[in-house]
Amino acid sequence: MPKATYTRSRGRRLTYTIRTDERGRYSVCLEGNELLRGNDTLSAGGCDKAPNKRKAVGALREAKLAIESLALMREY
């Protein structure tokens, strides 16, 4: 799974590690602890479940939006 780092724009501005795969799945980790796991909403269903790079990019975008939308998330 490719990795990327993302720093939240609010709060304590912690740096999260995002892992994505080419099927549209992602997981968000902070200091080795997995905080969030999900799928890109555009590639979650459908008859074409073959992996491709667009799904990985969509999952990365979705993970960044999920990190920013967790306003009440406990930050260690």
Side-chain angles (χ1 to χ4, degrees), residues 19 59 71:
R19 294 187 187 116

Side-chain angles (χ1 to χ4, degrees), residues 14-50:
L14 299 175
T15 301
Y16 297 88
T17 303
I18 302 170
R19 294 187 187 116
T20 62
D21 66 2
E22 292 185 350
R23 294 195 182 270
R25 296 181 294 237
Y26 66 86
S27 66
V28 177
C29 301
L30 178 64
E31 298 175 356
N33 297 324
E34 187 175 296
L35 301 176
L36 181 66
R37 185 184 282 192
N39 290 335
D40 180 20
T41 55
L42 295 177
S43 66
C47 58
D48 184 23
K49 295 184 180 181

